[in-house]
Amino acid sequence: MKTFFIETWGCQMNRHDSERLAGLLVAEGYEQTENVDTADLILLNTCSVREKAVQKVKSRIGELAHANSRAAIGLCGCVAEQMHGSILKTTPSIGFVLGPGQINRLPEAVRLLEQDTRSVFSGFNSTEPDDFDSIVRSNRTRGMVTAIEGCNEHCTYCIVPYTRGPELSRPLDTILAEIQSLAEQGIPEVEILGQTVNSYRCPKTHSDLADLLTLAAGIDGIRRVRFLTSHPRYFNAKLIQAMADHPNVAPYLHLPLQSGSTAILKRMHRRYTREMYLQLVSDIRAAIPHINLSTDIIVGFPGETDQDFDDTMALLADVKFGQVFAFAFSPRPGTPAARYEDQVPETTKKERLQALFALTDRIALELNTALVNTTVDVLIDGSSRRSPEDWQGRTACNRVVNFPKRPGDSIGDSVKVTIVRAGPHSLYGHIL
Ligand code: SAH
Ligand code: SF4
Ligand code: F3S
């Protein structure tokens, strides 16, 4: 039997795309392997959101071709969409290039390859990505389900609208059928995905994300519902209410801020102000007091002054996010911000990033320490990476908890854990 190996970079959407790619290959008679050296086909599912993505891909392809010269390499993901066919000419080890909007064409690309024909599939078609039965679920606790593909926002720094195309919502009934199938497979948690998941609109019924959450939360066997990523601009009172009304909609929200300075937000084309964001946080906390918030920040966006950065720091100190994902601004080819003239020096970006992490780690530790001696519900994800004697799982509010295994418990089980120790990025406890 022919085997394939997949390497995945980037966001949840890419991780889920890898599950879809794997499913399509299994249907073609291939078997997944963790051994890159012996695989017949290697898929590299790439991300281009930051840094020198294209160079990184080229050097990784060189390494893979060196490790296994017999295998054909399929270039997938956002760098594939960015490069189209140009890489085929320079890189003989690549057998096909398949953009994220063309995943369903993988069987065709593979059949062409078997006839020694190299191919390029790029662009965005309007057919929905379906056949969810074939998806190879890599996590037995948390199942990812796409609600909306692509993005219409065009934030001035971001490559995603160019690599994933315009927004396309899946029909509500298809999404619910997929969530139902997760429940039937015994997967207790669903993570509903989209780059701007809260601009979801069913093309048939016009239902929105609040309707989808309500219906998903009502499916028997679904113990937790999460969603990712929300744009602050589309977070409305109905959605807050839907979260507050359903105990199995997780009290956790990732709400990317990007900057605490209204002037920078404007240049980013985020279309909200610092004050609008703070008002939204206060409305959300009024309805769901125990909610855990996380965010994304870009430091050193073109034109960011010390004062702009201080505004971001002050907002972070004020809101107290449980987790902050912060990145130095990275100019992406073809985006407006890459052409702005007032680029911030790399050394300044580095200094700001360090100052930010010092603050956000201190806050995260403070929030986690407040949980010591409390008891939390944890869904078991698998063995802890540090010790095979321990389980690792997550609380409903998305905190990572490690704790000693107890005979009889298994992946996907829900257990009550008393927290005994806290770090900035995880908790340690004992089963009650
Ligand atoms: N759709 C999501 C996130 C997409 S990309 C949203 O709207 O927030 C994930 C994160 O990468 C972004 O939130 C942003 O913080 C970061 N990012 C995107 N482009 C970037 C760039 N050019 N430089 C640095 N960080 C970037
Ligand atoms: Fe990129 Fe902005 Fe779209 Fe998020 S909302 S994917 S940051 S363009
Ligand atoms: Fe990266 Fe594409 Fe996701 S650029 S962050 S893999 S949408």
Side-chain angles (χ1 to χ4, degrees):
M1 193 184 258
K2 288 200 169 179
T3 59
F4 68 95
F5 172 89
I6 300 194
E7 181 167 310
T8 311
W9 306 350
C11 63
Q12 290 298 89
M13 333 283 153
N14 245 25
R15 270 178 228 154
H16 186 46
D17 284 350
S18 285
E19 298 183 333
R20 290 169 57 203
L21 291 163
L24 291 166
L25 286 175
V26 168
E28 288 297 295
Y30 280 70
E31 189 180 19
Q32 189 158 6
T33 169
E34 298 302 315
N35 189 349
V36 65
D37 303 339
T38 58
D40 297 292
L41 175 65
I42 298 172
L43 296 188
L44 188 57
N45 194 6
T46 59
C47 169
S48 59
V49 83
R50 284 176 294 272
E51 285 134 27
K52 301 182 169 59
V54 171
Q55 280 99 305
K56 218 170 97 188
V57 164
K58 286 187 174 160
S59 73
R60 187 64 187 137
I61 287 171
E63 288 166 15
L64 291 169
H66 184 72
N68 180 347
S69 56
R70 219 174 36 82
I73 298 176
L75 180 64
C76 309
C78 289
V79 176
E81 187 59 42
Q82 217 185 329
M83 297 192 77
H84 297 280
S86 61
I87 197 167
L88 284 188
K89 287 191 210 90
T90 53
T91 319
S93 49
I94 292 190
F96 58 83
V97 176
L98 183 88
Q102 299 285 329
I103 288 180
N104 288 343
R105 312 287 295 277
L106 178 65
E108 220 174 307
V110 168
R111 278 175 228 154
L112 284 167
L113 193 61
E114 284 166 354
Q115 297 156 19
D116 286 328
T117 306
R118 303 164 86 200
S119 59
V120 178
F121 294 96
S122 66
F124 314 103
N125 46 30
S126 53
T127 56
E128 53 180 279
D130 266 317
D131 183 22
F132 53 78
D133 285 333
S134 70
I135 294 172
V136 173
R137 303 280 171 190
S138 53
N139 184 322
R140 303 306 301 170
T141 302
R142 190 162 35 253
M144 297 180 270
V145 174
T146 303
I148 172 167
E149 302 263 2
C151 180
N152 288 350
E153 289 302 308
H154 290 282
C155 301
T156 54
Y157 51 81
C158 187
I159 193 106
V160 172
Y162 306 91
T163 63
R164 294 208 165 236
E167 281 181 3
L168 182 66
S169 289
R170 291 172 77 198
L172 183 73
D173 51 358
T174 315
I175 300 172
L176 291 171
E178 186 171 343
I179 299 174
Q180 177 76 47
S181 87
L182 292 179
E184 283 159 11
Q185 293 169 57
I187 296 179
E189 181 172 315
V190 58
E191 185 169 48
I192 299 173
L193 298 182
Q195 289 294 350
T196 51
V197 70
N198 55 334
S199 63
Y200 174 74
R201 273 281 160 194
C202 171
K204 296 194 280 197
T205 62
H206 305 292
S207 309
D208 59 13
L209 182 65
D211 302 323
L212 172 55
L213 291 183
T214 301
L215 292 164
I219 292 176
D220 246 5
I222 294 297
R223 281 181 273 156
R224 266 187 206 163
V225 183
R226 301 185 188 286
F227 54 98
L228 191 81
T229 299
S230 295
H231 194 296
R233 213 174 121 74
Y234 305 111
F235 218 94
N236 57 25
K238 181 178 171 195
L239 185 50
I240 297 175
Q241 200 55 48
M243 289 184 79
D245 284 348
H246 301 284
N248 60 342
V249 174
Y252 165 71
L253 181 64
H254 184 61
L255 194 64
L257 165 68
Q258 314 299 3
S259 169
S261 153
T262 295
I264 295 295
L265 288 169
K266 188 155 200 258
R267 302 188 93 205
M268 288 176 162
H269 194 57
R270 290 291 287 182
R271 297 187 292 165
Y272 52 84
T273 62
R274 171 193 180 88
E275 290 70 31
M276 285 157 74
Y277 188 93
L278 286 170
Q279 184 61 51
L280 177 58
V281 166
S282 118
D283 293 347
I284 292 167
R285 283 192 167 147
I288 313 153
H290 55 301
I291 197 163
N292 180 29
L293 299 174
S294 63
T295 200
D296 289 349
I297 301 286
I298 297 177
V299 305
F301 186 81
E304 185 186 70
T305 62
D306 285 339
Q307 181 60 52
D308 292 320
F309 179 64
D310 289 347
D311 287 349
T312 300
M313 293 287 272
L315 193 153
L316 294 174
D318 183 18
V319 171
K320 294 190 195 291
F321 294 95
Q323 211 174 0
V324 176
F325 302 89
F327 315 96
F329 170 71
S330 165
R332 310 311 302 132
T335 62
R339 295 189 295 270
Y340 291 172
E341 277 174 9
D342 39 4
Q343 299 287 330
V344 172
E346 289 303 321
T347 48
T348 311
K349 290 184 197 169
K350 229 179 243 160
E351 282 164 21
R352 288 182 184 164
L353 207 51
Q354 270 169 8
L356 186 148
F357 284 137
L359 172 68
T360 57
D361 276 0
R362 188 161 56 67
I363 294 170
L365 180 61
E366 184 190 309
L367 296 175
N368 280 351
T369 303
L371 294 172
V372 172
N373 294 328
T374 65
T375 298
V376 292
D377 274 317
V378 179
L379 275 184
I380 301 175
D381 276 327
S383 287
S384 149
R385 258 163 285 164
R386 278 209 205 129
S387 153
E389 255 90 275
D390 290 348
W391 286 124
Q392 182 167 91
R394 280 178 194 262
T395 63
C397 62
N398 210 34
R399 289 188 164 92
V400 173
V401 187
N402 295 297
F403 52 96
K405 287 183 180 171
R406 180 180 67 175
D409 290 325
S410 53
I411 293 174
D413 284 356
S414 172
V415 288
K416 289 208 182 298
V417 176
T418 302
I419 304 302
V420 297
R421 247 189 353 258
H425 307 295
S426 67
L427 300 163
Y428 194 84
H430 292 288
I431 294 182
L432 191 65

